[in-house]
């Protein structure tokens, strides 16, 4: 077992999609086989946009069921709900005091919200709550509370993890060596998975392929991937094709090579390519989907796993918080 501690979180704001899976969840699951791992459902982070408790709860179960069914190693991993860890609220408050306001002003998510307001002719801060503004501080607390070394995320979260590293550095300079400096880990070709319309796959763009969609829905979604208007005979470029960009993560090397050849040589139409993609994704996820559905029908099993995860996470969180309070307050 490696000494490095791995952690990631995902917000319960919707059904996890193939982009989440390839960008963050699979890298975490793979690492969970050989590392001490923390995986949590970031329900506190969802509160700045979601105000319906039962939806948050349902998505929380879905993400937990997903991670378990995909083979997260539960011996090495604490799988838990962010809000179950009392220490997170406390560390968040303490870290407020070492975080420069200017850092928050530079956060992409806050800037994007302001730009949207400006474009709509609204007040620059319209609809922006403090949860959104201070989002990176809570995320820093998530990362530092468990002594994290490695944070697998998609490209969009890179800045947030760098902020965590900055804030840990400010703290260490002010109060002495207290935190390790975490590192984002972003696969060279997994950080930005395209969605149905070719933009980044994201719940916010309504262009997702849900990972555990029932077969019929999965097919419908995949058939909706937008392509150019090349005829079946024309050669196609796999590197700019959303279909291939998704296929390569589910296929074996030789299947991928065959697909690339058929695209480059011409003769395979987009309809056929989509059917091949659907069949591949569907068969790779078939067993996991059955287990996912079984778990969702047995929520008490999920509750037990989350309770155990929270207990293990709190044991570490308590020690970190004591260390921080001692450094700051004596
Ligand atoms: P969304 O953008 O759909 O709301 P989240 O913000 O919940 O997704 O992302 C959860 C995790 O999945 C983060 O680590 C994020 O970087 C990663 N992720 C999300 N979309 C993609 C994508 N299209 N490609 C790669 N990683 C992604
Ligand atoms: N902000 C992440 C997202 O939107 C979710 C998240 C919260 C997270 N806390 C984290 C990711 C800590 C990695 C580490 O996807």
């Amino acid at each position: 077992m490696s000494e490095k501690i791995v952690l990631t979180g995902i917000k319960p704001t919707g059904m996890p999609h193939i982009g989440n899976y390839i960008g963050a969840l699979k890298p975490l699951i793979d690492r969970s086989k050989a590392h001490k791992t923390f995986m949590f459902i970031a329900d506190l982070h969802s509160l700045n946009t979601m105000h319906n408790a039962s939806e948050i709860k349902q998505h929380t179960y879905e993400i937990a069921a997903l991670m378990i069914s995909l083979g997260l190693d539960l011996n090495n991993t604490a799988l838990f709900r962010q809000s179950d860890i009392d220490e997170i609220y406390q560390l968040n408050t303490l870290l407020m005091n070492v975080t420069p306001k200017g850092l928050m002003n530079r956060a992409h998510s806050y800037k994007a919200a302001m730009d949207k307001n400006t474009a709509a002719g609204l007040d620059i801060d319209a609809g922006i709550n403090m949860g959104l503004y201070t989002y990176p501080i809570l995320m820093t607390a998530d990362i530092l509370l468990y002594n994290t070394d490695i944070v697998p995320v998609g490209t969009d979260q890179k800045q947030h993890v760098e902020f965590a590293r900055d804030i840990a550095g400010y703290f260490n300079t002010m109060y002495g060596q207290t935190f390790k400096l975490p590192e984002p880990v972003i696969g060279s070709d997994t950080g930005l998975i395209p969605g149905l319309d070719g933009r980044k796959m994201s719940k916010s763009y309504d262009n997702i392929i849900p990972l555990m969609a029932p077969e019929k829905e999965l097919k419908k979604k995949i058939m909706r991937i937008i392509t150019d208007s090349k005829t079946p005979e024309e050669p196609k470029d796999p590197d700019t094709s959303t279909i291939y960009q998704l296929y390569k993560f589910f296929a074996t090397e030789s299947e991928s090579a065959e697909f690339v050849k058929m695209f480059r040589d011409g003769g395979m139409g987009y309809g056929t390519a989509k059917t091949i993609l659907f069949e591949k994704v569907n068969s790779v996820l078939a067993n996991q989907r059955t287990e996912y559905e079984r778990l969702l029908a047995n929520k008490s099993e999920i509750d037990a796993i989350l309770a155990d995860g929270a207990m293990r996470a709190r044991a570490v969180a308590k020690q970190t918080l004591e260390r921080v309070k001692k450094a700051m307050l004596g």
Side-chain angles (χ1 to χ4, degrees), residues 10-11 13 17 19-20 23-24 152-157 190-193 200-204:
I10 178 167
K11 284 178 296 181
T13 46
H17 52 75
N20 301 141
V153 281
T155 311
D156 60 307
Q157 295 299 317
T190 59
L192 219 172
I193 302 299
K200 172 196 174 236
M201 189 180 292
S202 174
K203 282 164 268 179
S204 349

Side-chain angles (χ1 to χ4, degrees), residues 100-114:
K101 176 170 175 283
L103 197 66
M104 298 299 98
N105 292 343
R106 291 207 302 275
H108 296 322
S109 43
Y110 172 56
K111 275 168 62 178
M114 285 194 302

